[in-house]
């Protein structure tokens, strides 16, 4: 077996056994088919949204909230379900609720879904 820094022979053997199991391989294929996209923690932690917290409110038109949250996380940011002074952006969709009001009260930057998508495309926050 190849020697990998930090992995001993027992762990290496366990990894080989795991990937030799057909059921494990089918499970991995099902996860990829469902849209799971593994990334290294280092790549995620160093993304363009590193240190930025986003909250979504209202109905988004082009994606679900879960998809939007995954985008933020894939770019190194954090998606939260509540607004606080630590929130960097509130993305307001159609008919935003109390999160919108709280963001206004706290002076948190409120952006539209389109502005959020532009940030994602550019790979950097406003």
């Amino acid at each position: 077996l190849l020697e990998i820094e930090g992995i001993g022979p027992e762990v290496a053997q366990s990894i080989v056994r795991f990937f030799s199991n057909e059921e494990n391989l089918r499970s991995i294929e099902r996860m990829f088919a469902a849209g799971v996209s593994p990334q290294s923690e280092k790549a995620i932690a160093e993304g363009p949204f590193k240190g930025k917290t986003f909250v979504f409110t209202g109905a988004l038109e082009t994606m679900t909230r879960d998809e939007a949250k995954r985008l933020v996380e894939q770019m190194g940011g954090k998606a939260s379900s509540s607004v606080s002074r630590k929130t960097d952006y509130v993305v307001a969709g159609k008919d935003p609720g109390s999160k919108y009001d709280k963001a206004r009260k706290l002076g948190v930057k409120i952006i539209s879904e389109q502005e959020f998508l532009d940030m994602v495309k550019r790979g950097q926050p406003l």
Side-chain angles (χ1 to χ4, degrees):
L1 293 176
L2 295 174
E3 286 189 33
I4 300 173
E5 187 176 325
I7 295 180
E10 289 180 37
V11 172
Q13 189 62 30
S14 178
I15 292 169
V16 169
R17 275 194 307 272
F18 177 86
F19 285 103
S20 297
N21 181 305
E22 287 295 319
E23 183 57 34
N24 291 341
L25 295 176
R26 283 192 294 274
S27 293
I28 291 169
E29 288 173 7
R30 285 192 300 272
M31 285 188 274
F32 283 139
V36 172
S37 178
Q39 295 181 350
S40 74
E41 288 182 29
K42 182 177 180 183
I44 291 171
E46 295 176 0
F49 289 177
K50 178 182 178 181
K52 302 295 181 193
T53 301
F54 291 77
V55 173
F56 296 89
T57 184
L60 301 178
E61 294 181 21
T62 62
M63 67 186 79
T64 66
R65 278 195 199 178
D66 284 342
E67 290 169 331
K69 289 176 182 179
R70 272 196 303 273
L71 267 176
V72 167
E73 291 165 359
Q74 287 172 354
M75 297 184 80
K78 179 183 172 197
S80 178
S81 59
S82 61
V83 178
S84 74
R85 292 194 189 283
K86 294 181 180 180
T87 304
D88 295 289
Y89 300 98
V90 169
V91 180
K94 185 178 179 185
D95 298 323
S98 60
K99 294 176 190 175
Y100 178 88
D101 297 332
K102 186 169 183 181
R104 287 187 63 189
K105 202 178 294 184
L106 294 174
V108 173
K109 185 163 182 69
I110 299 170
I111 61 174
S112 68
E113 179 179 359
Q114 187 57 54
E115 288 172 305
F116 170 71
L117 293 173
D118 292 344
M119 289 170 64
V120 169
K121 287 178 189 171
R122 280 194 325 272
Q124 62 186 28
L126 294 173

